Amino acid sequence: MTGFWDRWGNLIQRLLASVGSQASLLALVYVFKPPAHFSGWAGFLAIVAALLALISIWLEISSDRRAHKSRKTYSKEDAAGIKAYMRNWIGGSGQAVIWTRDLSWADDDQTKNLLKDKARNGNLTVCMPKMTELGQTLKDAGANVWIYGRPNFKTPASRFTIAHYGNGGSQVAIGRATGGIHVIEEIDANNPALHMATDLAHLAELLHSEAPANV
């Protein structure tokens, strides 16, 4: 039940609010003109209210359908599904930028080999707070690994991957946990979130270039 509400709760709430507002208008008409006398302006208002309710419901469902096309949801236990998504997102992405805590999700050979191939082709940048074993392996293979961590600096909770980085077709996939599911939002250049993700990557590059030798 929790997973269902995580996926559809927002739409259900919006639909209930929309239908409720139209029902209030119909109730107002009923107060002044009982149903037996629905004619003239009262009947007109009743028809308009019904039409508005239908249009509102259609718009809400259409909007939610478009949103779901750019939103992928997985059970938190579906690690294989999440990895498959990430491989697909990164695989054909050209230049990819991964903002991560420690790349712990890339713990299988298929994913590691994909990342190494992109590193060897000069198409991979990883931003992380501190170097890890896999991070070093990817760096040795040719990836940019930008370490932005500092003492007493709380690691950002953000997790995202930019595909087609550096060209007009850039997109960012932002992962977040909500309830019992893992949600991945796909965002294109029309959304400010992509520019914020790009700015964070630039900041990581700057911090890495200015890092003292012992960081």
Side-chain angles (χ1 to χ4, degrees), residues 82-101:
I82 296 172
K83 290 176 189 177
Y85 171 87
M86 291 301 296
R87 287 194 297 270
N88 181 66
W89 183 257
I90 295 170
S93 67
Q95 181 68 231
V97 176
I98 302 174
W99 181 283
T100 180
R101 183 172 61 87

Side-chain angles (χ1 to χ4, degrees), residues 15 25 32 47 71 122 137 186:
L15 287 176
L25 180 56
F32 290 98
I47 293 173
R71 184 189 306 130
T137 298
E186 297 178 1

Side-chain angles (χ1 to χ4, degrees), residues 15-198:
L15 287 176
L16 287 175
S18 176
V19 173
S21 64
Q22 305 308 323
S24 297
L25 180 56
L26 282 173
L28 183 63
V29 172
Y30 178 83
V31 168
F32 290 98
K33 213 61 158 168
H37 304 286
F38 268 4
S39 61
W41 67 268
F44 175 75
L45 284 179
I47 293 173
V48 169
L51 287 174
L52 287 175
L54 291 174
I55 292 172
S56 177
I57 291 171
W58 179 79
L59 289 174
E60 289 287 0
I61 292 175
S62 296
S63 175
D64 195 75
R65 184 179 296 125
R66 289 192 298 271
H68 270 276
K69 287 183 179 179
S70 61
R71 184 189 306 130
K72 313 299 179 185
T73 58
Y74 299 88
S75 166
K76 285 184 178 180
E77 288 73 35
D78 187 13
I82 296 172
K83 290 176 189 177
Y85 171 87
M86 291 301 296
R87 287 194 297 270
N88 181 66
W89 183 257
I90 295 170
S93 67
Q95 181 68 231
V97 176
I98 302 174
W99 181 283
T100 180
R101 183 172 61 87
D102 55 11
L103 282 176
S104 59
W105 57 270
D107 59 357
D108 62 291
D109 290 340
Q110 186 177 0
T111 303
K112 289 179 181 178
N113 289 335
L114 172 62
L115 293 174
K116 290 175 188 176
D117 286 342
K118 292 193 73 68
R120 283 190 285 267
N121 292 327
N123 285 328
L124 181 65
T125 296
V126 179
C127 306
M128 52 186 6
K130 63 181 180 180
M131 186 63 77
T132 64
E133 181 179 351
L134 179 55
Q136 186 62 54
T137 298
L138 296 175
K139 181 179 180 180
D140 294 342
N144 295 314
V145 180
W146 295 335
I147 305 301
Y148 60 80
R150 295 293 185 277
N152 302 320
F153 176 69
K154 185 177 180 180
T155 302
S158 305
R159 305 286 185 271
F160 61 82
T161 301
I162 304 174
H164 308 289
Y165 179 72
N167 64 48
S170 294
Q171 294 177 287
V172 61
I174 302 176
R176 59 186 174 86
T178 174
I181 61 175
H182 185 82
V183 179
I184 301 175
E185 303 275 358
E186 297 178 1
I187 297 171
D188 61 23
N190 295 319
N191 192 305
L194 174 60
H195 305 295
M196 294 175 67
T198 301

